[in-house]
Amino acid sequence: MKEGRLYRFGRALLIPIFKLLFPYTVRNKNSIPSEGAYIVCCNHISLKDPVFLALGQRRQMFYMAKEELFHNKFLACLIRALGAFSVSRGTGDTHAINTAEHLLGQGKVLGIFIEGTRSRTGELLRPKSGAAMLAYKTGTPVIPASITPVKTPFPKLFHRLVVSYGEPLSVQDLGLLTGSGTEFREASRMIMDKISQLRERDKQQL
């Protein structure tokens, strides 16, 4: 999977549109360096979340997307061009995991919604362990990120929102030493705590 012209064109097109429809602010946008592999872990409240994350960074992010989105051939072609790849949720999809590892091995940026699904209330859900496992297996730092709408639980037209990026967390910072299930769960909770801190800070400063 390579960074494509369609992605760059789409990003350039969407920035002014989203600035108008969903006036957003990006905080700490330079947290992702210009090179090297990173995993961006974010909360998930809307189908537009991948766009909000992508608009805040110059580097392309690649995402796992649920398998059902690829059943439509046209949609599948489009979202693949934009950096998405299929994952069968709840099955331990080894192909998706291998694809993620390959992308990180190439020095790409992988976006993961750590809750595994969209929150129906806007509140944070229990984190899944997949991001921590990938970080451990590939030695890739994790960057926590949050999407926080202003005065509403979900992004709404003409309502402000804030996209915030935290500081990178190394596998050592996350306590990933032996690759045990316990370490993965504790690291996932640490990442989610960082996301929660970003959200609370943004709520208080708005």
Side-chain angles (χ1 to χ4, degrees):
M1 300 179 70
K2 298 180 180 180
E3 297 181 33
R5 293 180 180 177
L6 180 58
Y7 180 88
R8 293 192 293 272
F9 172 77
R11 182 179 180 276
L13 179 67
L14 288 175
I15 285 177
I17 294 174
F18 267 64
K19 275 288 189 182
L20 175 65
L21 298 180
F22 305 96
Y24 64 91
T25 300
V26 181
R27 290 180 172 164
N28 200 21
K29 65 168 58 179
N30 295 321
S31 63
I32 300 179
S34 59
E35 59 184 21
Y38 287 88
I39 300 172
V40 177
C41 287
C42 189
N43 61 309
H44 196 12
I45 53 177
S46 154
L47 291 174
K48 297 178 284 294
D49 292 342
V51 180
F52 289 128
L53 286 182
L55 297 184
Q57 295 293 332
R58 292 189 178 276
R59 296 181 65 187
Q60 179 173 355
M61 290 191 199
F62 295 85
Y63 297 92
M64 293 184 187
K66 62 182 181 180
E67 185 182 26
E68 292 81 359
L69 295 177
F70 292 83
H71 293 173
N72 180 293
K73 290 184 178 179
F74 173 78
L75 179 60
C77 181
L78 178 62
I79 61 178
R80 282 196 182 99
L82 294 174
F85 57 97
S86 171
V87 60
S88 179
R89 296 183 299 181
T91 64
D93 189 337
T94 56
H95 182 265
I97 294 171
N98 290 339
T99 299
E101 291 180 3
H102 178 69
L103 287 167
L104 293 172
Q106 290 185 318
K108 305 298 185 183
V109 179
L110 181 68
I112 293 181
F113 296 105
I114 193 170
E115 297 152 300
T117 188
R118 280 181 292 147
S119 171
R120 301 298 180 180
T121 64
E123 297 300 318
L124 297 179
L125 305 177
R126 180 179 297 179
K128 304 297 184 181
S129 297
M133 179 195 70
L134 281 171
Y136 172 76
K137 292 179 70 174
T138 62
T140 304
V142 171
I143 295 177
S146 69
I147 298 173
T148 308
V150 178
K151 298 179 181 179
T152 177
F154 305 104
K156 289 187 177 181
L157 284 172
F158 309 114
H159 282 70
R160 290 180 57 220
L161 64 81
V162 179
V163 181
S164 284
Y165 294 89
E167 297 302 316
L169 300 168
S170 68
V171 292
Q172 292 78 17
D173 294 332
L174 293 169
L176 297 172
L177 304 176
T178 64
S180 68
T182 298
E183 284 185 355
F184 292 156
R185 289 189 292 273
E186 291 178 350
S188 300
R189 286 193 289 269
M190 182 185 298
I191 296 167
M192 185 57 84
D193 286 343
K194 296 293 185 182
I195 294 172
S196 178
Q197 290 170 20
L198 291 172
R199 277 170 54 87
E200 291 305 314
R201 182 202 65 186
D202 290 342
K203 286 179 181 179
Q204 292 173 8
Q205 293 182 359
L206 294 174

